[in-house]
Amino acid sequence: MPFLPVEAFKWPGIVDFADTDAEAVFLSSATGGRRSRHPVLSTTFYDTVAAAWFEACVGDGPFWFVAHLPTYEAMGVESSLIHMVRVLMARFGTPESLFVPDPAELRARVSRSRGPSRGRRHAPLILFGTAFGMLEMIEDEPIRLPIDSLVVETGGMKSRRRDVDRVSLHRRLAAGFGLPRESIRSEYGMCEMLSQCYTLGGETFHAPPWVRVKVVDPDRPHLEVERGRPGLLAVFDLANGHSVSPILTEDIVREEAAGFEVLGRLGNADLRGCNFLFEQSV
Amino acid sequence: MTTTGYALIADAFAEAARLWLRPGFADRAGAIEDTLKCSNTFTPEALETAVDTIMSRLQRGVLDSWIAGRCTNSPCSVAVLNAGNVPFVGLQDLLAVACTGHTYLGIVSSKSPHLLPSFVSTVARILPRLRVSFSGLETALNRCDALIATGADTTVNQIESAAAKAGIDPRRILLRGTRISVAVLDGREINGELDALARDALLHEGRGCLNVCIIFAPADQDWGSVLASMSRLRSLYPPHESTVQTIQQEALLYKATGQRYHQQAGVLLVDGEPEPKRPGVVVWSRYSTLRDVEDWIDRNADRLQAVIVSARVALRTGPVGMCLPGQSHDPPLDWAPDRRDTVEFLVGV
C-alpha cells in the first residue's frame, strides 16, 4: 500500500468533504515554509479518539492538568495539540486545570504544591509541555513536583536544530522535576494524523488499536525494513477516515515489541545527504 | 610524520589510483561488481564515471598542493564514519588522515562497503605498512582518539553521546551536518552549461551534499531547454530503479495536489518554493531579481554546501562556496566540506 507523504497536507485536496463543512482546521506549527493543513469534519469524533487513547494509556482522572505550551497557545484553535489538551482537561481534568504560558507563573503554581483537591480525593498533577520548553525551565532551576505527578512532553522535539535523544531527555526531565523516570511520558502527534501515541514510562510509543504502524526504507518507502532496523514511520490511522489514512511521516523510528521508538527526523535534505547514522543507529 | 613518510604514502595512493584508472583492473572491477549488488542507488554508468573522475584527480602533485607539508607531530587513531550515498564519498577523509600521518579506522556504510576497502587493499600492496583498517562502529569508537562523522542535524547529539561514552575528547570530533546545493540560472545559459547543470542535478540520483536539488531561474524562463539537457543526461546515465519509483510516486502527489511539474524518463522537475524534495526530484524555483536569491542564500547559508552558477552571473553568496556548472560532483581534493578544512582539523588533533 502506498503511504502519502505528510508533505501532501501542505496542499488542498486531501479531504473528502467541502472545506466549508469542516468543524475545525488544524495547522502545523510555523517553522518556515508552507504549513500543513488538516480540515476535520467532526471534532466530536476527534475528541472521542483523543480521549479514548489517553484514558487507556494514562487513566480517567480526575487530574489537575497544567499545560505549558506557549508557542502552540499562540496558534489558538489552529493547533491540534491545544485542542486535544482542552478536550482532555474537559473530560478528565479538575476545574482548576489551566494553561500557563509564563514559566515563572508555572513554577509558582506547581512547585511543592499538592494541587487542588477534588472532594476528598487528591488530584494528581499532569504537566503537559514541550520538551525543550520544560528543559529550559528546569535547567535554570529544578522544580520539585508532587511525587504522584506525571510529566507529558510533546510537540517540541523538532523545534530545535540540535536534538536530544529521548532517554537523555526523560532522564533530565525526571531529575529536574524530582520524579521517577516512569513518571515522564511522551506524546506523539501531528496535525496530519488525528490519533496520538503515548509512551508508558519508557521510550516506546504505543499506538491505539485503530492505528497500524510500519517502518519503511527511506529510499524505498514501499518496502518495510528488517525488524529492529531504523526506518521512516508509516502509519495507517483510521481516525483519518475523511482525509488519508496511510501517511508517511518524516520521523525515523525503530520498531519495538509493542510499538516504536522515535530516533529523530529525516527530511528530504537528509535523505539526499551523507547520513550514516540512520543506517547504523549509534 | 617525516617528509619521507608522507612521500611514501602519497606515492602509494597515486600509484594505486593509476592502477584503478584501468577498467579491467581486478580490484576495481571486483569492487564495482560487488557494490552494484548492494542495497544502494548506484548505477553502473554513474559508478564507473565516479571511479574514473576520482582516480584521475588523485595524483602526487595534487596531493602535495593540498597537504602542503601539513603533517602531524602527534599521530593518533582517527575513526571515520563513511556515508554510502555517493561512490567514494569518504575518500577525501581517508587521504587526509593517512597523508597527515594518523592511523585511519574506517567504518563503511552497508550501502557501499566495498569501494574504499578494495582501494585500500591496492594501496596496501604497494605500501604494506599503511596504517589503515576497517571495523564496526563500536570497535572503531573504542579504539580511536579522534572522530570524523557526518549525520543529519537531529543525530548530531547521538554521535556526540556515543563519542563521549567512548571517551573521545569533544575537541577531537569533526561533525558535518546535512547540507544541500542549489544552482542559479540567469536565463542566458548555453546548452553546454545546461548539460553540465543536468549532470549536477541528476548524476548519483540526487544524492550528496553537492548535488543540485533546487534550480533558481528567472520568473519568465521556460524550463524546456533544461529538460532537454536532462533528457540527454538520462540517455547517458539511465535512472536507478528506485529513482523511477520515487518519480512516479512524487508525480502522483504533485498531480493530486495541483502542483506544476514535468515528468519524463528519469526526470521530475517541479515548480515551487525553494525546499528540497526527495532525491531524484529537482525543484524549479522562480525569482524576480538576483537580490531575492541572494537573500535566500543568506538566510539558508548554514544548510548550503555550494551554489552552482556560471562565472558571468554577478551573484553574492556570502560564505557559501560557488562552483561552476558541471563541477559539483567532482570537487577538488582541497575542497572543505561544511567550510571546515579537514587537514587543518587533523593537524590540530
Side-chain angles (χ1 to χ4, degrees), chain A residues 147-167:
Chain A
I147 197 65
D148 57 352
S149 305
L150 284 184
V151 171
V152 182
E153 63 87 6
T154 182
M157 299 294 284
K158 56 193 170 191
S159 63
R160 290 288 183 91
R161 185 177 163 79
R162 282 203 159 189
D163 209 346
V164 174
D165 69 85
R166 195 160 261 104
V167 175

Side-chain angles (χ1 to χ4, degrees), chain A residues 7-8 11 34 161-163 218-222 265 268-280 282, chain B residues 40 82 85 109-111 150 152 154-155 157 159 162 178 206-208 211 213 245 253 259 276-278 281:
Chain A
E7 181 193 346
W11 302 88
R34 193 182 281 259
R161 185 177 163 79
R162 282 203 159 189
D163 209 346
D219 289 330
R220 301 171 180 80
H222 58 290
R265 283 173 71 77
N268 287 333
D270 301 315
L271 279 173
R272 293 171 168 272
C274 316
N275 195 350
F276 182 89
L277 285 166
F278 284 130
E279 223 183 300
Q280 288 189 35
V282 175
Chain B
N40 56 36
N82 291 290
N85 55 340
S109 160
S110 63
K111 291 178 178 164
T150 308
T154 53
T155 58
N157 274 63
I159 310 174
T178 300
R207 313 278 159 159
N211 168 269
C213 61
Q245 279 173 354
L253 172 64
Q259 299 180 66
K277 302 286 188 186
R278 293 181 69 82
V281 184

Side-chain angles (χ1 to χ4, degrees), chain B residues 93-134:
Chain B
D93 288 332
L94 165 66
L95 293 169
V97 172
C99 289
T100 52
H102 294 293
T103 298
Y104 176 94
L105 303 172
I107 304 115
V108 289
S109 160
S110 63
K111 291 178 178 164
S112 181
H114 303 294
L115 292 172
L116 274 179
S118 186
F119 181 63
V120 163
S121 74
T122 308
V123 182
R125 281 202 300 276
I126 300 164
L127 183 67
R129 67 178 177 85
L130 187 72
R131 295 198 304 267
V132 172
S133 62
F134 294 89

Side-chain angles (χ1 to χ4, degrees), chain A residues 6 8-15 19 22 25-28 35-39 191-192:
Chain A
V6 287
F9 283 79
K10 292 178 179 175
W11 302 88
I14 50 103
V15 291
D19 235 31
V25 177
F26 294 141
L27 299 182
S28 60
R35 295 164 75 180
S36 287
R37 185 175 181 278
H38 196 164
C191 89
E192 296 90 343

Side-chain angles (χ1 to χ4, degrees), chain B residues 7 24 68 102 129 170-171 207 285 288 311 316:
Chain B
H102 294 293
R129 67 178 177 85
R171 291 167 299 182
R207 313 278 159 159
S285 190
S288 301
R316 181 179 52 82

Side-chain angles (χ1 to χ4, degrees), chain A residues 56-95:
Chain A
C57 293
V58 182
D60 61 356
F63 301 111
W64 177 38
F65 285 99
V66 176
H68 176 61
L69 300 162
T71 51
Y72 291 89
E73 274 188 83
M75 290 172 64
V77 294
E78 295 173 344
S79 163
S80 58
L81 176 60
I82 294 297
H83 181 100
M84 180 194 80
V85 174
R86 283 187 182 140
V87 168
L88 301 181
M89 285 178 175
R91 300 250 175 136
F92 309 119
T94 62

